[in-house]
Amino acid sequence: MKTTAHPEAFHSRPATEIAGQLGVDPQQGLSTEEAEARLERFGPNAVTAPSGPGPLLRLLRQFHDPLIYVLILAGVVTAAFGGYVDAGVIGGVVVLNAVIGFVQESRAQRALEALSRMVPLEAIVLRDGALRRIPAVRLVPGDVVELAAGDRVPADVRLTDVRLAEVDESALTGESVPVLKSADAVVEEAVVADRTGCAYSGTLVTRGWARAVVTATGGATELGDIQHLVATAEVVATPLTRKLARFSRQLSVAIVAVAVAAFALGVFRGTPVPEMFTAVVALAVGAIPEGLPAAVAIVLAIGVVRMSRRGAIVRNLPAVETLGGTTVICTDKTGTLTQNRMTVTAFAVAGRVVSPAEARECLVAGVLCNDARIGEGDPTEIALLESALAAGLDPEAIRAAAPRTETVPFESENRMMTTVHGAVGYLKGAVEEVAARCADESTPDGVRPLDAAALDRVHRELTGRGLRVLAFARFTPGSAPTLLGLQAMHDPPRPEAVAAVAACRSAGIDVKMITGDHAGTARAIAAAVGLVDTPSAARVLTGAELTELPEAEFDDAVAATQVFARVSPGQKLQLVRALQRRGHVVAMTGDGVNDAPALRRADIGVAMGRNGTDAARQAADMVLTDDDFASIEAAVREGRSVFDNLRKFIAWTLPANIGEGMVVLVAIVLGATLPIVPVQILWINMTTAVFLGLTMAFEPTEAGIMGRPPRPPKRPLFTAALLRRVVLVSLLLVVAAFAAYRAELAAGLSLAEARTSAINVFVGVQAAYLLSCRSLDRPVLLAWPGRSRMFALGVGLTAGLQLLLTYVPVMNTWFHTAPVGVRSWLWVLGAAVVAFAVVEADKLIWHRVAARRGISSGREGGALRAR
Ligand code: ATP
């Protein structure tokens, strides 16, 4: 559906004509009523995400799996030989498996979709003659919008008024060089990339400013067209999930090979083919960890949800994994470590700290060379207005008396802002920048040549107190400025940031501050938030010093420095690269357009949700809803927790699966009767994977998680310690099941009763081991992770299901089980306790060994826990 009034060439006709055609006065914008009416008519300005396959198709897709094919075949074969009950059970398992897969997939997908919508997007629009900020989804064709550097173009537009605007259209055209825009029409045949008079939804304004009329919204935009074409469902995949998927494929192949061999052996020994067939299918189904990729996706999705509750919105899933391995966080100062609530607390004139009354001219300059209004604008500039008010001046009157005729806006590159008010101009900005342009300074006794030494002294004193210092100068156009004085402002540290910095330091994560502010201020704030113990302990490098550094020393110097001051955005990229060359996993914050390359390059690019630009948010892996450093720390904590829980799940599920397969395999190899028959294996597989295994995804974060060093970036998922544990527990499971089975038979119980005991023992040991998995390498009762409702619920449900299996007659018929007595349950209890004790003892022994090895080799090795 095209939602434009006339979908024809907007690019080849003059902008005024387009405005007329769209029924809007470019000076007034649409009226609110008209905009509402158009919103009704054209719908919201949102590209509906390609919906992907429908639910039915997604459900059917769950059956598309070699393993399921084999199961279905097994069911058919079983039925053909008259085993209708078994066939029915197998059919039930197949359906249940699909439903579980479907529910899991939908859950993970929904969680992620909801999050991607949370990244805010707004547009500045002219309505009823006034500029206002509205959610971009409410834009309609005909709206007049303003675009500035850093904004994402919110809809397709025809530019009407352009000041040096450049737009990065790579999202649309693939062209990486930004395009210079103008309001002029181009030839009718021009392709999208050449239509300089138009700008398109989803592209980024990298420079300048423009005003434009919206020509198309939502699905009618060029971007909408493309998205409909691509229409790919987002895949929930990360390097880790891919690695795991590959692992489970390889494992499956190996298991199938073993199953085929077992089949041949059994048939050779004279077991009937159909019976043997069902047995090896049970072996394969039991042993293959089908649920692994889905479970991993769930663990990651839960991590994403938990992070969002802590103020960190993850934009792409791999970031969840990477976050836990972060070794360095490079953070902004203003607004992230500090509150960005500025108050002017000191003034200096002629090299001396003075009272506000003596700094009157400075205050006037602060009012005029200023874009803010009380309560609205840049906090630095608001502080200047408030300081003038506090000193008894009237900002409104001052501004009315000297209307502004020209502006050179503030940019973080030159750290200065200039305004001209007819015959007089003002300059404000970083002290070095302003002072470098002044030959004279104003003093209480009139103008005299600038005393640079005195200025430097007082500047150092003020920055040493952690104050942000701005210099002010006045000039008559055409001649050199005269320095008027300094205003110094206080920006209190965020209390949460102080705690978060401390947590990061104890977690072995290096926190570095990167700021545009002065070295002295940065040093003092670094000490105030606990980045270093005292201001003098901070190693500081300025942007200028960075450029001077010889290449050979660069990486070492960067790694050893805590504070980078007066740094330009371009240098942030150099810093990220240097740290990555040293093997670090780097999280880097940024808010401006120029920060985008560094954010993209960083392992975790972190953008600000409140004060950042769209450009930064788009380049980032994570967006902080509150701009707070503490949210980064919380996200790292969650990232570590996610990785822990993944390891816990894997450590639990692999022995469970292998044990299930081995019970069958061992019986075949020994030529013994099966202690657990195929449908029973399927039962165990289905119930425990869901009700026991998945509880690990909800495990609470371990208490000491931020007290240990980051995991080495290259550490593999499957360590030797994990493999040892898998082998140990698989053996425990098999031995316990066989022992119970044999003992019960020997005690004179029927086959069905003995098998029921074996199943219950098997599940009991699985549950005991699950408890053990709650802490991977420390005895769980010593390193008690706290109560977990999910764990209790899972174990409770599993116990309930086993009781049903044992005592409900229908279940007895379907699953060939029989009610058992107290002794049988004592077996379950005993086996569970013994297995638990063995695994815990194993942990203790290996923890000792690992610790001893760690002391001799300088680092801890062999421990199972993911670091
Ligand atoms: P961070 O990167 O930690 O956010 P920051 O916000 O202090 O650092 P910038 O905003 O780039 O960095 O400011 C750098 C310097 O530019 C400040 O120290 C100040 O001297 C000057 N400055 C900041 N805001 C203005 C402004 N509105 N007008 C003039 N100069 C300014």
Side-chain angles (χ1 to χ4, degrees):
M1 183 187 63
K2 283 277 173 187
T3 51
T4 46
H6 301 272
E8 60 257 77
F10 292 111
H11 58 277
S12 60
R13 287 175 298 134
T16 43
E17 198 183 315
I18 305 294
Q21 178 192 328
L22 291 167
V24 63
D25 171 359
Q27 304 311 318
Q28 286 295 313
L30 295 174
S31 67
T32 306
E33 302 87 70
E34 178 62 20
E36 287 300 325
R38 291 191 188 192
L39 190 61
E40 270 304 293
R41 190 156 101 234
F42 294 118
N45 175 33
V47 179
T48 36
S51 49
L56 185 66
L57 204 66
R58 271 191 297 134
L59 182 64
L60 286 179
R61 214 170 47 185
Q62 304 295 330
F63 293 96
H64 175 57
D65 183 309
L67 201 71
I68 298 293
Y69 295 160
V70 175
L71 258 187
I72 293 173
L73 185 66
V76 171
V77 171
T78 310
F81 286 91
Y84 296 118
V85 174
D86 281 7
V89 169
I90 293 176
V93 165
V94 168
V95 171
L96 194 63
N97 188 57
V99 170
I100 290 171
F102 176 78
V103 172
Q104 289 182 347
E105 193 178 276
S106 315
R107 247 194 90 169
Q109 194 81 45
R110 257 207 318 278
L112 297 177
E113 277 169 11
L115 289 167
S116 68
R117 278 196 299 270
M118 279 169 68
V119 179
L121 184 58
E122 295 183 320
I124 305 238
V125 61
L126 185 67
R127 289 215 181 140
D128 304 317
L131 283 176
R132 58 187 68 161
R133 187 178 283 276
I134 64 166
V137 286
R138 300 189 62 83
L139 283 179
V140 293
D143 259 332
V144 176
V145 290
E146 266 195 22
L147 305 169
D151 292 346
R152 193 172 0 180
V153 178
D156 284 3
V157 298
R158 177 68 168 88
L159 302 167
T160 55
D161 187 1
V162 181
R163 311 235 175 106
L164 274 183
E166 282 185 2
V167 177
D168 173 353
E169 298 187 330
S170 53
L172 208 58
T173 61
E175 173 57 57
S176 59
V177 183
V179 184
L180 188 64
K181 293 292 181 182
S182 85
D184 299 335
V186 295
V187 291
E188 172 118 35
E189 300 75 41
V191 294
V192 169
D194 297 330
R195 296 178 190 169
T196 49
C198 294
Y200 295 94
S201 183
T203 60
L204 278 172
V205 182
T206 51
R207 233 185 105 189
W209 175 95
R211 198 172 260 207
V213 182
V214 172
T215 54
T217 58
T221 60
E222 295 291 331
L223 186 72
D225 274 355
I226 291 183
Q227 293 222 346
H228 278 291
L229 281 179
V230 181
T232 46
E234 178 147 333
V235 235
V236 188
T238 74
L240 184 69
T241 55
R242 276 192 287 269
K243 225 189 286 176
L244 281 170
R246 200 172 53 230
F247 165 77
S248 41
R249 266 199 309 276
Q250 288 164 347
L251 193 66
S252 308
V253 171
I255 291 167
V256 168
V258 170
V260 169
F263 181 76
L265 181 68
V267 172
F268 173 74
R269 287 212 180 127
T271 318
V273 170
E275 195 175 303
M276 211 44 232
F277 188 73
T278 328
V280 297
V281 167
L283 188 165
V285 173
I288 292 173
E290 315 88 333
L292 196 54
V296 172
I298 291 212
V299 175
L300 292 176
I302 289 173
V304 170
V305 172
R306 283 187 182 171
M307 285 178 191
S308 76
R309 283 197 207 119
R310 311 278 297 257
I313 297 173
V314 173
R315 293 188 63 239
N316 63 345
L317 206 52
V320 183
E321 280 163 48
T322 322
L323 264 168
T326 303
T327 60
V328 178
I329 302 175
C330 298
T331 173
D332 278 347
K333 169 176 73 72
T334 310
T336 310
L337 291 171
T338 67
Q339 301 180 7
N340 203 5
R341 267 201 262 143
M342 312 273 178
T343 320
V344 175
T345 55
F347 302 85
V349 171
R352 234 164 31 79
V353 174
V354 299
S355 72
E358 294 167 278
R360 193 165 182 286
E361 271 212 282
C362 224
L363 288 164
V364 170
V367 170
L368 289 173
C369 188
N370 188 327
D371 285 332
R373 264 174 292 175
I374 291 291
E376 188 190 318
D378 175 1
T380 302
E381 300 196 333
I382 295 176
L384 297 174
L385 288 184
E386 286 171 347
S387 78
L389 267 178
L393 302 186
D394 178 354
E396 290 305 321
I398 293 172
R399 285 181 173 175
R404 202 194 285 185
T405 49
E406 230 177 285
T407 310
V408 183
F410 167 75
E411 288 203 28
S412 22
E413 263 78 15
N414 57 15
R415 306 185 179 93
M416 255 180 18
M417 168 171 175
T418 312
T419 56
V420 180
H421 310 257
V424 58
Y426 290 98
L427 193 62
K428 86 166 190 300
V431 178
E432 312 90 284
E433 300 289 340
V434 174
R437 287 166 176 78
C438 298
D440 302 323
E441 66 184 325
S442 135
T443 75
D445 316 317
V447 174
R448 67 164 193 213
L450 177 67
D451 181 348
L455 175 68
D456 189 46
R457 226 173 304 130
V458 77
H459 183 206
R460 225 164 326 138
E461 182 198 328
L462 294 171
T463 56
R465 288 196 238 151
L467 300 177
R468 178 180 178 87
V469 185
L470 291 185
F472 298 83
R474 182 192 54 211
F475 61 95
T476 37
S479 56
T482 300
L483 183 71
L484 298 174
L486 314 179
Q487 294 196 46
M489 46 191 91
H490 177 60
D491 180 13
R494 287 173 178 263
E496 325 82 82
V498 179
V501 167
C504 285
R505 288 181 72 186
S506 84
I509 299 169
D510 221 350
V511 182
K512 299 181 188 298
M513 177 198 285
I514 302 187
T515 175
D517 216 334
H518 186 266
T521 313
R523 189 189 281 277
I525 299 284
V529 297
L531 215 91
V532 288
D533 299 328
T534 62
S536 55
R539 273 173 302 241
V540 184
L541 277 178
T542 63
E545 285 163 348
L546 278 175
T547 44
E548 303 276 287
L549 273 177
E551 209 183 304
E553 291 166 32
F554 192 84
D555 293 2
D556 284 335
V558 168
T561 302
Q562 287 102 26
V563 175
F564 299 90
R566 293 290 194 231
V567 167
S568 68
Q571 287 179 317
K572 284 189 171 184
L573 184 59
Q574 290 183 340
L575 296 180
V576 174
R577 289 221 173 101
L579 291 167
Q580 287 175 335
R581 277 194 297 270
R582 304 272 313 223
H584 280 297
V585 176
V586 185
M588 160 79 80
T589 68
D591 41 23
V593 196
N594 306 333
D595 290 334
L599 293 181
R600 223 171 268 141
R601 173 72 206 214
D603 299 281
I604 302 287
V606 184
M608 302 302 153
R610 290 221 188 130
N611 289 321
T613 56
D614 283 339
R617 283 196 280 271
Q618 211 166 48
D621 302 295
M622 188 167 97
V623 178
L624 304 182
T625 53
D626 49 8
D627 298 8
D628 187 346
F629 180 80
S631 303
I632 307 178
E633 187 260 339
V636 170
R637 184 185 290 266
E638 288 300 342
R640 286 184 171 200
S641 174
V642 160
F643 210 84
D644 268 9
N645 289 354
L646 274 179
R647 306 254 320 171
K648 287 173 186 175
F649 177 79
I650 292 169
W652 181 84
T653 201
L654 289 184
N657 284 110
I658 292 176
E660 287 161 23
M662 282 215 319
V663 168
V664 178
L665 184 66
V666 169
I668 295 176
V669 170
L670 297 181
T673 49
L674 289 172
I676 303 179
V677 298
V679 283
Q680 295 166 345
I681 292 280
L682 295 180
W683 162 270
I684 296 175
N685 190 278
M686 294 310 301
T687 56
T688 61
V690 176
F691 295 114
L692 294 183
L694 267 189
T695 61
M696 289 293 109
F698 299 91
E699 273 297 289
T701 306
E702 279 182 28
I705 202 161
M706 291 302 266
R708 60 198 204 205
R711 71 167 190 269
K714 296 219 169 61
R715 161 171 297 200
L717 195 61
F718 298 98
T719 54
L722 178 61
L723 291 181
R724 200 188 61 242
R725 174 77 50 84
V726 169
V727 172
L728 174 70
V729 178
S730 307
L731 287 176
L732 280 172
L733 281 165
V734 174
V735 170
F738 265 98
Y741 170 71
R742 288 289 170 90
E744 295 285 61
L745 279 183
L749 265 61
S750 72
L751 198 58
E753 286 166 330
R755 283 184 171 151
T756 308
S757 294
I759 299 168
N760 286 333
V761 163
F762 197 95
V763 173
V765 172
Q766 281 187 330
Y769 177 49
L770 186 72
L771 174 63
S772 187
C773 281
R774 295 196 64 201
S775 169
L776 277 185
D777 71 345
R778 305 261 315 275
V780 67
L781 298 179
L782 297 183
W784 182 240
R787 278 195 322 189
S788 155
R789 229 191 289 143
M790 277 297 187
F791 177 83
L793 190 70
V795 172
L797 279 172
T798 307
L801 285 170
Q802 289 311 116
L803 288 175
L804 291 183
L805 183 77
T806 310
Y807 294 109
V808 174
V810 195
M811 299 294 272
N812 293 158
T813 319
W814 288 354
F815 289 97
H816 317 294
T817 50
V820 293
V822 174
R823 206 199 40 235
S824 170
W825 293 109
L826 289 178
W827 257 103
V828 175
L829 192 66
V833 169
V834 169
F836 181 76
V838 169
V839 174
E840 296 298 290
D842 173 71
K843 281 186 200 170
L844 265 181
I845 294 165
W846 281 89
H847 197 66
R848 289 263 165 78
V849 172
R852 208 170 312 133
R853 246 193 252 153
I855 291 163
S856 58
S857 70
R859 56 176 281 254
E860 252 179 87
L864 191 55
R865 188 209 275 155
R867 260 176 255 248

